[in-house]
Amino acid sequence: AGIGVLVKDKPPSLQKPRRYQVGPINDDYPPLEFVVELIEKFFSKTRETATRIMLMIHNEGKGVCGIYTQDIAETKAAMVNKYSMQHQHPLLCEAQPCEED
């Protein structure tokens, strides 16, 4: 058996996972208070921050409640949508890729 040469492998290049922003889409059906409570409950926001996000959703059509990796973002959006339907509110929450830097 010959003598082997130890070659130091180049460490694998790791990429940061793509980030997704999660937020409800404005549809004017759910009461504004319901939207505020939902943001507090699922995104751990204070009443003041949740109200500010709700107003952005109401005035601009959408707002960002949080930024997560894809799996977490999609799970949060699904939880919000299920909760909304259970409370008879047709609120749609989406997870969308963030703009890359």
Side-chain angles (χ1 to χ4, degrees):
I3 297 176
V5 176
L6 182 61
V7 178
K8 186 174 181 181
D9 288 334
K10 182 177 159 192
S13 62
L14 300 176
Q15 292 183 329
K16 288 172 64 173
R18 186 142 196 210
R19 308 287 278 171
Y20 285 72
Q21 57 189 22
V22 181
I25 306 299
N26 183 39
D27 62 8
D28 292 330
Y29 291 107
L32 300 180
E33 182 62 27
F34 176 77
V35 178
V36 170
E37 289 173 11
L38 186 140
I39 294 168
E40 289 176 309
K41 178 179 180 72
F42 289 98
F43 299 98
S44 303
K45 303 296 184 190
T46 63
R47 172 63 49 133
E48 181 182 333
T49 301
T51 301
R52 202 166 40 247
I53 294 169
M54 176 276 298
L55 289 171
M56 181 182 292
I57 294 165
H58 183 70
N59 294 325
E60 299 177 24
K62 60 171 48 177
V64 176
C65 296
I67 297 176
Y68 310 94
T69 58
Q70 184 176 7
D71 289 348
I72 294 172
E74 289 174 351
T75 299
K76 289 252 187 205
M79 290 168 59
V80 168
N81 292 336
K82 182 178 180 181
Y83 182 82
S84 297
M85 292 305 284
Q86 288 173 338
H87 290 82
Q88 286 78 47
H89 293 300
L91 181 73
L92 177 63
C93 186
E94 291 185 329
Q96 296 183 320
C98 294
E99 298 286 326
E100 293 298 322
D101 295 334

